Structure formats: C-alpha cells, structure tokens
Amino acid sequence: MIRAFIGFDPREAVAFSVLAHSIYVRASEPECVAPLMLPELDGACARKRVPLQSTDFAFSRFVTPHLADYEGWSVLMDCDGLMLDDVERLWRLRDERYAGRMVHDALGGPYFGGVRDGQYAEESRCAAAQMLACSQREAYV
C-alpha cells in the first residue's frame, strides 16, 4: 500500500480534496491518503507559527516519519497539486541510497533530486512540492 501524506491548510481544503481525488482515480494499487492537519497531530508538531511559514503544512511535513512509525516510505505532497498519472510511477522511484527524493520542474520538467545525509544535490535546492521520504529511523540519525 502506498502511503501518501498531503499538506492541509484550512484555507485550501478544496485543493486537498481535488488532489486526493486525482490520486484515487488514477491509482493502480491501494492508496492510503492522509491530510497533515495540525490540530490532529496530537502535539507531534507543536511548533508555534512563524512569519516564514506560509501554510500550516510548511513545517508539519517533517513529522511524517513519526506518523509512519519510522517504517518504509511515504509520498508527501503540497495540497495545491494534481496527480495526472498513477502515483505508483512515482513510488517506483524510491531509492534506498537516499533519505528522500524531491520532484520539481526547475530544469524544465519532472526531475528527481536525491538527499543524502541532509545534503541536497545542487540541482534540487528548490522547495519540494512532491517528495518521497524514507521514514526509517536510520535515515534520520
């Protein structure tokens, strides 16, 4: 089962629903789609909001390993996206050499940059609206 966490901000509730629907209707295997809603994280993300935080999801994405019980991989997405293909194609790009992989179009199209030991590849420095994250505890130590 592919586990997907989608950033949720009350101001963008419709966007969350559209993205979740776009994942479900194109899925070739079971999906578990969960919103990252700050009030429901039971203190796992108790950080106070700061001016640099544009949405509730800005920092809650970092609790996904905890929510995944530090096991396996997860897909993380900002809620203002749209899945135009089967998310399984994204899922197949997991790579155990990395703690995470990010998708962005800074190079003119879909691209995956890898993250090793907290260091980003030069090409992948922009913020990731879609990413695969390894939730295993060893990846974060």
Side-chain angles (χ1 to χ4, degrees):
M1 178 177 298
I2 296 174
R3 180 177 39 220
F5 293 105
I6 299 175
F8 184 88
D9 189 291
R11 299 169 296 176
E12 299 177 341
V14 173
F16 166 83
S17 297
V18 170
L19 174 55
H21 178 75
S22 74
I23 292 171
Y24 288 132
V25 298
R26 292 170 178 84
S28 62
E29 63 179 81
E31 313 291 329
C32 175
V33 176
L36 288 173
M37 300 175 82
L38 290 181
E40 295 184 10
L41 294 179
D42 294 327
C45 187
R47 181 182 176 131
K48 290 182 181 179
R49 193 173 182 112
V50 297
L52 295 174
Q53 185 176 343
S54 59
T55 66
D56 283 355
F57 180 59
F59 296 117
S60 64
R61 70 182 76 217
F62 300 110
V63 301
T64 55
H66 168 74
L67 298 174
D69 202 26
Y70 299 98
E71 294 180 2
W73 286 75
S74 300
V75 174
L76 302 156
M77 300 179 75
D78 287 354
C79 66
D80 59 353
L82 188 63
M83 186 61 68
L84 298 176
D85 204 340
D86 189 345
V87 72
E88 202 275 330
R89 290 187 61 203
L90 180 66
W91 192 248
R92 284 186 297 209
L93 297 173
R94 292 167 292 153
D95 188 332
E96 298 299 327
R97 296 176 298 166
Y98 303 110
R101 302 199 76 196
M102 297 171 289
V103 180
H104 62 80
D105 62 3
L107 300 177
Y111 174 79
F112 259 92
V115 180
R116 288 191 188 180
D117 300 324
Q119 299 298 314
Y120 296 93
E122 187 67 29
E123 301 86 11
S124 61
R125 287 191 179 201
C126 70
Q130 296 179 349
M131 61 188 284
L132 287 166
C134 180
S135 297
Q136 296 167 332
R137 192 176 299 273
E138 306 84 56
Y140 293 93
V141 176

